[in-house]
Amino acid sequence: MMQCYGRRVQYSSNSDNNSAAPKPPLASKPSFSRPQTSRRYSERSSTAMSGREDDENNFNGLQLRSLYPHQDPKNFNIQNMIEFLCSKEVILKLPLSDRSCHNSIKEPRKLERATSENNSFRVRRQTPEDAIDSKVIKTCRPPKVTGKSWIIVDGETGEMIGGKCERLNRGIASLTKIMTCYMVIKFAEIEPEILEEYLSVSEKAEKIIGTSAKLRAGDRIQVKDALYGLMLPSGNDAAVAIAQHFAARLHARRILYRKSLRDRGIQVGGNMRYEFAVNLLNLPLSSESRLEGLGLAYMSNDPSLLPWITEMNTMAYVLGMSATNFENPHGLSSKLHKSTASDVARLSVEALKSQLFRKIVNTESYAVNIVNSRDSSSRRIIWKNTNELLQEGYSGIKTGTTPTTGYSLASEYCFDVEPSGERKSLICILLGSKTKEDRKNDTRKLISWARTRQNG
């Protein structure tokens, strides 16, 4: 005899002989449609309570459609399914004698969200307020931009507001010059007269490719003026000239500091590395006379940039830019010259604490008189800032462009929070936009989105 309950097929025989029972006929493909009544489920519950192995899979009263709206295809949804699974877990914890008692499960429980006291999974029915919250969440999603990486942080605290691939290593192009400018300003905090020094432009600086401040070999220019040529027209020649001007004294400072540590029996390494770097950066630069005493006077005309690059990486280490490695002072593409949007944002927050740095990056144009020592000629150059967003109320910071890294932009925007009127600063780092126009539009979208979050 064959009894069919849903998709389960059972065979029973009244004969006690040992002869093999004939094979049953092939059953038709079981139907996956839901039963129209709950009668079969009640019949199965009476047979399933016999103590067999499938007792733990017995839902009993949970199968009654009249008591559980999720059994009705019209009311079936994910929310009801979650309630069903939670209710099943509760029933299975009851003794077998109580599972078939429908009075104990007249209505699915109204479940609440998880609390700190009870970490079990809890679900709450959606209310009209939840629908409003979901709309707010959608409006708070960041906009779609062409940039491959970006991050927005609070300009005062450095707290992250939003980002995309902000910790992914990639080229940062001329945003490297933020570090070059910041280092000179840090030197000037120890020795203010550094800004008044005159540097000489070498042939290597004149022949460097990329964006230029129109400097020529033999030009003599003050360090402070060179910083404007570095940041406004994004002059690669100015970056090389600055690095060569300080390279010899930076190398001598490192040698003297290591020698003083050896004399005191202190070895640099392990936990001493950070302390060594901080102390080194706080030391004044060595004078020209000290270079002659160390036999390093030749480095005054040495075109090597290695001492400067070493100090750049030391400064990055002190600032916590753990994913950054510099190989040049200007940002031209190099295999190992990489950073992240997060590290550049950290650097920008620190650099903007300097009033001189803030003044330089917020300048739209700057005029300077330059004298050439080779032919004694003089000329006047006007540098214009490549950051076009300055005309829209933005406060710097730096643009960057190379064929391999795309279009990048570091910018700051200050505004008043409504309704308190508190002054806020947002720093946006955008890397790898497709075009120059996309770079500006992406920054506008991201700043507008961050302002909405701050005001909300």
Side-chain angles (χ1 to χ4, degrees):
M1 178 179 180
M2 181 176 65
Q3 298 176 350
C4 296
Y5 300 104
R7 280 184 284 170
R8 178 183 294 181
V9 181
Q10 297 182 353
Y11 299 92
S12 62
S13 176
N14 296 329
S15 60
D16 296 331
N17 54 12
N18 297 328
S19 61
K23 294 184 179 180
L26 293 176
S28 59
K29 187 176 181 181
S31 174
F32 290 91
S33 60
R34 293 181 178 272
Q36 299 299 321
T37 65
S38 59
R39 181 177 179 182
R40 291 183 179 179
Y41 292 103
S42 61
E43 292 176 357
R44 288 182 60 190
S45 64
S46 61
T47 58
M49 293 299 297
S50 58
R52 295 194 299 268
E53 294 180 355
D54 59 348
D55 279 348
E56 291 218 2
N57 296 324
N58 174 28
F59 303 157
N60 296 327
L62 295 179
Q63 304 285 1
L64 296 178
R65 180 182 308 156
S66 59
L67 300 180
Y68 290 89
H70 57 265
Q71 293 290 344
D72 190 350
K74 297 181 180 179
N75 297 329
F76 185 81
N77 54 41
I78 298 299
Q79 186 76 15
N80 290 333
M81 175 57 73
I82 294 176
E83 293 181 6
F84 168 70
L85 295 176
C86 295
S87 301
K88 170 189 171 183
E89 181 181 1
V90 173
I91 297 303
L92 291 179
K93 293 180 180 179
L94 298 176
L96 292 178
S97 59
D98 296 338
R99 290 188 191 179
S100 60
C101 181
H102 302 318
N103 294 331
S104 61
I105 47 174
K106 291 182 180 180
E107 184 180 1
R109 291 189 305 168
K110 186 177 180 181
L111 302 176
E112 300 176 354
R113 293 188 184 275
T115 61
S116 58
E117 299 177 357
N118 187 1
N119 294 326
S120 59
F121 185 72
R122 293 287 184 260
V123 180
R124 179 172 58 85
R125 294 181 183 273
Q126 189 176 21
T127 63
E129 289 77 8
D130 295 332
I132 297 176
D133 292 342
S134 63
K135 294 180 181 179
V136 173
I137 291 174
K138 289 182 180 179
T139 59
C140 289
R141 292 175 182 171
K144 293 183 179 180
V145 296
T146 64
K148 297 179 180 179
S149 299
W150 61 269
I151 188 174
I152 298 180
V153 300
D154 188 289
E156 296 180 358
T157 64
E159 180 181 0
M160 177 177 169
I161 298 174
K164 169 191 171 184
C165 301
E166 67 276 3
R167 298 186 183 276
L168 185 64
N169 271 96
R170 62 175 67 254
I172 59 173
S174 290
L175 301 190
T176 304
K177 297 183 177 75
I178 299 176
M179 175 62 84
T180 301
C181 182
Y182 176 68
M183 286 182 58
V184 176
I185 292 176
K186 293 297 290 184
F187 298 157
E189 290 179 358
I190 303 173
E191 299 177 86
E193 61 273 12
I194 283 179
L195 296 176
E196 307 300 326
E197 293 179 359
Y198 280 86
L199 58 83
S200 297
V201 180
S202 65
E203 292 185 359
K204 180 178 181 178
E206 181 186 12
K207 294 179 181 179
I208 192 71
I209 62 174
T211 52
S212 172
K214 299 180 181 179
L215 298 178
R216 302 173 186 172
D219 284 347
R220 288 182 57 81
I221 182 175
Q222 281 189 330
V223 173
K224 183 178 180 180
D225 294 334
L227 294 180
Y228 283 92
L230 173 75
M231 300 300 288
L232 271 63
S234 192
N236 294 340
D237 46 1
V240 174
I242 291 172
Q244 289 180 332
H245 179 72
F246 291 104
R249 285 183 286 176
L250 289 175
H251 186 58
R253 183 179 71 171
R254 182 175 288 264
I255 290 177
L256 291 174
Y257 184 55
R258 284 185 175 273
K259 183 177 181 301
S260 65
L261 293 178
R262 285 196 302 268
D263 293 342
R264 290 181 289 170
I266 301 175
Q267 295 183 355
V268 178
N271 297 331
M272 284 292 297
R273 183 184 174 190
Y274 179 80
E275 183 180 352
F276 165 79
V278 173
N279 294 336
L280 175 64
L281 295 176
N282 289 330
L283 291 176
L285 299 181
S286 299
S287 60
E288 296 292 337
S289 59
R290 299 297 298 274
L291 292 178
E292 295 178 0
L294 293 171
L296 298 175
Y298 70 93
M299 291 193 66
S300 297
N301 299 319
D302 186 22
S304 174
L305 303 178
L306 183 60
W308 176 268
I309 297 170
T310 301
E311 295 301 310
M312 289 179 70
N313 288 312
T314 302
M315 182 70 76
Y317 170 72
V318 171
L319 294 178
M321 302 168 62
S322 57
T324 298
N325 182 70
F326 294 111
E327 285 200 328
N328 57 62
H330 39 67
L332 289 177
S333 297
S334 179
K335 186 176 181 180
L336 298 179
H337 190 91
K338 303 290 183 181
S339 186
T340 65
S342 178
D343 280 359
V344 177
R346 185 188 297 268
L347 171 62
S348 300
V349 171
E350 291 297 323
L352 286 171
K353 294 179 181 178
S354 168
Q355 293 300 320
L356 177 58
F357 181 89
R358 184 178 291 275
K359 178 182 178 182
I360 292 174
V361 299
N362 202 27
T363 302
E364 294 188 18
S365 63
Y366 186 81
V368 60
N369 294 318
I370 300 177
V371 177
N372 190 285
S373 59
R374 295 186 178 182
D375 54 11
S376 301
S377 62
S378 62
R379 66 187 188 279
R380 183 178 178 84
I381 300 179
I382 299 177
W383 293 315
K384 294 184 178 181
N385 203 319
T386 57
N387 187 2
E388 298 177 359
L389 291 180
L390 292 179
Q391 303 173 1
E392 302 179 16
Y394 289 77
S395 305
I397 305 172
K398 187 72 188 71
T399 60
T401 306
T402 62
T404 57
T405 62
Y407 293 81
S408 303
L409 177 61
S411 56
E412 182 195 27
Y413 188 82
C414 299
F415 64 100
D416 295 329
V417 179
E418 298 177 357
S420 62
E422 180 185 2
R423 192 69 173 171
K424 278 284 187 180
S425 169
L426 297 175
I427 294 177
C428 177
I429 308 298
L430 178 68
L431 304 179
S433 289
K434 292 184 178 180
T435 65
K436 184 178 181 180
E437 194 65 29
D438 287 337
R439 175 175 65 185
K440 295 188 295 183
N441 293 334
D442 290 348
T443 301
R444 293 189 190 104
K445 292 178 183 178
L446 293 173
I447 290 295
S448 177
W449 169 77
R451 285 190 60 182
T452 303
R453 295 200 62 179
Q454 293 292 306
N455 289 329

mmCIF file of all heavy atoms in Angstrom, residues 347-365:
data_model
loop_
_atom_site.group_PDB
_atom_site.id
_atom_site.type_symbol
_atom_site.label_atom_id
_atom_site.label_comp_id
_atom_site.label_asym_id
_atom_site.label_seq_id
_atom_site.Cartn_x
_atom_site.Cartn_y
_atom_site.Cartn_z
ATOM 1 N N LEU A 347 48.774 63.923 5.770
ATOM 2 C CA LEU A 347 49.790 64.935 5.515
ATOM 3 C C LEU A 347 49.165 66.317 5.368
ATOM 4 O O LEU A 347 49.687 67.310 5.892
ATOM 5 C CB LEU A 347 50.573 64.568 4.260
ATOM 6 C CG LEU A 347 51.539 65.610 3.708
ATOM 7 C CD1 LEU A 347 52.633 65.929 4.719
ATOM 8 C CD2 LEU A 347 52.153 65.130 2.386
ATOM 9 N N SER A 348 48.039 66.406 4.674
ATOM 10 C CA SER A 348 47.389 67.698 4.452
ATOM 11 C C SER A 348 46.898 68.315 5.744
ATOM 12 O O SER A 348 46.985 69.534 5.938
ATOM 13 C CB SER A 348 46.232 67.519 3.468
ATOM 14 O OG SER A 348 46.676 67.014 2.226
ATOM 15 N N VAL A 349 46.365 67.491 6.631
ATOM 16 C CA VAL A 349 45.897 68.003 7.927
ATOM 17 C C VAL A 349 47.049 68.628 8.699
ATOM 18 O O VAL A 349 46.913 69.712 9.291
ATOM 19 C CB VAL A 349 45.226 66.877 8.739
ATOM 20 C CG1 VAL A 349 44.946 67.337 10.162
ATOM 21 C CG2 VAL A 349 43.933 66.430 8.065
ATOM 22 N N GLU A 350 48.203 67.977 8.688
ATOM 23 C CA GLU A 350 49.360 68.514 9.399
ATOM 24 C C GLU A 350 49.902 69.768 8.717
ATOM 25 O O GLU A 350 50.276 70.734 9.385
ATOM 26 C CB GLU A 350 50.457 67.448 9.479
ATOM 27 C CG GLU A 350 50.121 66.272 10.372
ATOM 28 C CD GLU A 350 49.946 66.681 11.825
ATOM 29 O OE1 GLU A 350 50.693 67.582 12.275
ATOM 30 O OE2 GLU A 350 49.066 66.115 12.497
ATOM 31 N N ALA A 351 49.953 69.756 7.387
ATOM 32 C CA ALA A 351 50.519 70.902 6.671
ATOM 33 C C ALA A 351 49.665 72.149 6.837
ATOM 34 O O ALA A 351 50.197 73.262 6.955
ATOM 35 C CB ALA A 351 50.673 70.556 5.191
ATOM 36 N N LEU A 352 48.342 71.990 6.862
ATOM 37 C CA LEU A 352 47.453 73.145 6.974
ATOM 38 C C LEU A 352 47.474 73.783 8.363
ATOM 39 O O LEU A 352 46.880 74.848 8.550
ATOM 40 C CB LEU A 352 46.026 72.743 6.611
ATOM 41 C CG LEU A 352 45.773 72.512 5.117
ATOM 42 C CD1 LEU A 352 44.409 71.902 4.890
ATOM 43 C CD2 LEU A 352 45.915 73.822 4.340
ATOM 44 N N LYS A 353 48.148 73.168 9.309
ATOM 45 C CA LYS A 353 48.321 73.798 10.616
ATOM 46 C C LYS A 353 49.300 74.961 10.551
ATOM 47 O O LYS A 353 49.328 75.803 11.451
ATOM 48 C CB LYS A 353 48.799 72.768 11.639
ATOM 49 C CG LYS A 353 47.775 71.685 11.952
ATOM 50 C CD LYS A 353 48.314 70.677 12.951
ATOM 51 C CE LYS A 353 47.290 69.577 13.237
ATOM 52 N NZ LYS A 353 47.823 68.563 14.185
ATOM 53 N N SER A 354 50.101 75.010 9.491
ATOM 54 C CA SER A 354 51.045 76.110 9.289
ATOM 55 C C SER A 354 50.352 77.245 8.545
ATOM 56 O O SER A 354 49.766 77.037 7.473
ATOM 57 C CB SER A 354 52.262 75.616 8.497
ATOM 58 O OG SER A 354 53.045 76.698 8.065
ATOM 59 N N GLN A 355 50.429 78.441 9.086
ATOM 60 C CA GLN A 355 49.815 79.600 8.437
ATOM 61 C C GLN A 355 50.519 79.945 7.129
ATOM 62 O O GLN A 355 49.879 80.391 6.172
ATOM 63 C CB GLN A 355 49.835 80.799 9.389
ATOM 64 C CG GLN A 355 48.957 80.630 10.606
ATOM 65 C CD GLN A 355 47.499 80.423 10.232
ATOM 66 O OE1 GLN A 355 46.986 81.055 9.308
ATOM 67 N NE2 GLN A 355 46.819 79.538 10.962
ATOM 68 N N LEU A 356 51.826 79.738 7.068
ATOM 69 C CA LEU A 356 52.555 80.009 5.833
ATOM 70 C C LEU A 356 52.124 79.052 4.732
ATOM 71 O O LEU A 356 51.896 79.464 3.585
ATOM 72 C CB LEU A 356 54.059 79.899 6.070
ATOM 73 C CG LEU A 356 54.941 80.093 4.831
ATOM 74 C CD1 LEU A 356 54.689 81.457 4.189
ATOM 75 C CD2 LEU A 356 56.418 79.914 5.184
ATOM 76 N N PHE A 357 51.996 77.786 5.050
ATOM 77 C CA PHE A 357 51.542 76.818 4.057
ATOM 78 C C PHE A 357 50.134 77.160 3.577
ATOM 79 O O PHE A 357 49.849 77.123 2.380
ATOM 80 C CB PHE A 357 51.572 75.405 4.657
ATOM 81 C CG PHE A 357 51.145 74.325 3.702
ATOM 82 C CD1 PHE A 357 52.064 73.708 2.873
ATOM 83 C CD2 PHE A 357 49.813 73.920 3.629
ATOM 84 C CE1 PHE A 357 51.674 72.721 1.984
ATOM 85 C CE2 PHE A 357 49.412 72.936 2.749
ATOM 86 C CZ PHE A 357 50.345 72.331 1.917
ATOM 87 N N ARG A 358 49.256 77.502 4.510
ATOM 88 C CA ARG A 358 47.875 77.843 4.150
ATOM 89 C C ARG A 358 47.844 79.082 3.248
ATOM 90 O O ARG A 358 47.041 79.168 2.312
ATOM 91 C CB ARG A 358 47.065 78.076 5.422
ATOM 92 C CG ARG A 358 45.587 78.351 5.192
ATOM 93 C CD ARG A 358 44.882 78.523 6.519
ATOM 94 N NE ARG A 358 44.825 77.268 7.249
ATOM 95 C CZ ARG A 358 43.879 76.346 7.072
ATOM 96 N NH1 ARG A 358 42.907 76.560 6.184
ATOM 97 N NH2 ARG A 358 43.886 75.240 7.784
ATOM 98 N N LYS A 359 48.732 80.038 3.531
ATOM 99 C CA LYS A 359 48.777 81.247 2.718
ATOM 100 C C LYS A 359 49.250 80.941 1.303
ATOM 101 O O LYS A 359 48.713 81.468 0.315
ATOM 102 C CB LYS A 359 49.712 82.267 3.383
ATOM 103 C CG LYS A 359 49.871 83.562 2.595
ATOM 104 C CD LYS A 359 50.849 84.507 3.290
ATOM 105 C CE LYS A 359 51.050 85.785 2.482
ATOM 106 N NZ LYS A 359 52.040 86.689 3.135
ATOM 107 N N ILE A 360 50.248 80.077 1.175
ATOM 108 C CA ILE A 360 50.796 79.755 -0.149
ATOM 109 C C ILE A 360 49.761 79.048 -1.016
ATOM 110 O O ILE A 360 49.528 79.430 -2.166
ATOM 111 C CB ILE A 360 52.070 78.891 0.008
ATOM 112 C CG1 ILE A 360 53.199 79.706 0.638
ATOM 113 C CG2 ILE A 360 52.509 78.344 -1.349
ATOM 114 C CD1 ILE A 360 54.433 78.900 0.969
ATOM 115 N N VAL A 361 49.119 78.010 -0.479
ATOM 116 C CA VAL A 361 48.202 77.203 -1.300
ATOM 117 C C VAL A 361 46.902 77.952 -1.585
ATOM 118 O O VAL A 361 46.137 77.536 -2.473
ATOM 119 C CB VAL A 361 47.901 75.857 -0.610
ATOM 120 C CG1 VAL A 361 49.179 75.053 -0.435
ATOM 121 C CG2 VAL A 361 47.208 76.064 0.736
ATOM 122 N N ASN A 362 46.627 79.029 -0.853
ATOM 123 C CA ASN A 362 45.403 79.794 -1.068
ATOM 124 C C ASN A 362 45.645 81.029 -1.937
ATOM 125 O O ASN A 362 44.754 81.857 -2.111
ATOM 126 C CB ASN A 362 44.806 80.217 0.269
ATOM 127 C CG ASN A 362 43.335 80.531 0.179
ATOM 128 O OD1 ASN A 362 42.619 80.007 -0.670
ATOM 129 N ND2 ASN A 362 42.860 81.423 1.034
ATOM 130 N N THR A 363 46.841 81.144 -2.502
ATOM 131 C CA THR A 363 47.190 82.279 -3.356
ATOM 132 C C THR A 363 46.880 81.948 -4.810
ATOM 133 O O THR A 363 47.280 80.889 -5.311
ATOM 134 C CB THR A 363 48.689 82.615 -3.215
ATOM 135 O OG1 THR A 363 48.976 82.914 -1.840
ATOM 136 C CG2 THR A 363 49.060 83.802 -4.080
ATOM 137 N N GLU A 364 46.175 82.829 -5.481
ATOM 138 C CA GLU A 364 45.788 82.588 -6.871
ATOM 139 C C GLU A 364 46.908 82.934 -7.848
ATOM 140 O O GLU A 364 47.073 82.263 -8.872
ATOM 141 C CB GLU A 364 44.525 83.381 -7.220
ATOM 142 C CG GLU A 364 43.285 82.919 -6.454
ATOM 143 C CD GLU A 364 42.026 83.592 -6.948
ATOM 144 O OE1 GLU A 364 42.043 84.135 -8.084
ATOM 145 O OE2 GLU A 364 41.027 83.581 -6.217
ATOM 146 N N SER A 365 47.690 83.974 -7.561
ATOM 147 C CA SER A 365 48.813 84.349 -8.440
ATOM 148 C C SER A 365 49.911 84.995 -7.605
ATOM 149 O O SER A 365 49.645 85.576 -6.538
ATOM 150 C CB SER A 365 48.358 85.308 -9.546
ATOM 151 O OG SER A 365 47.879 86.519 -8.992
#
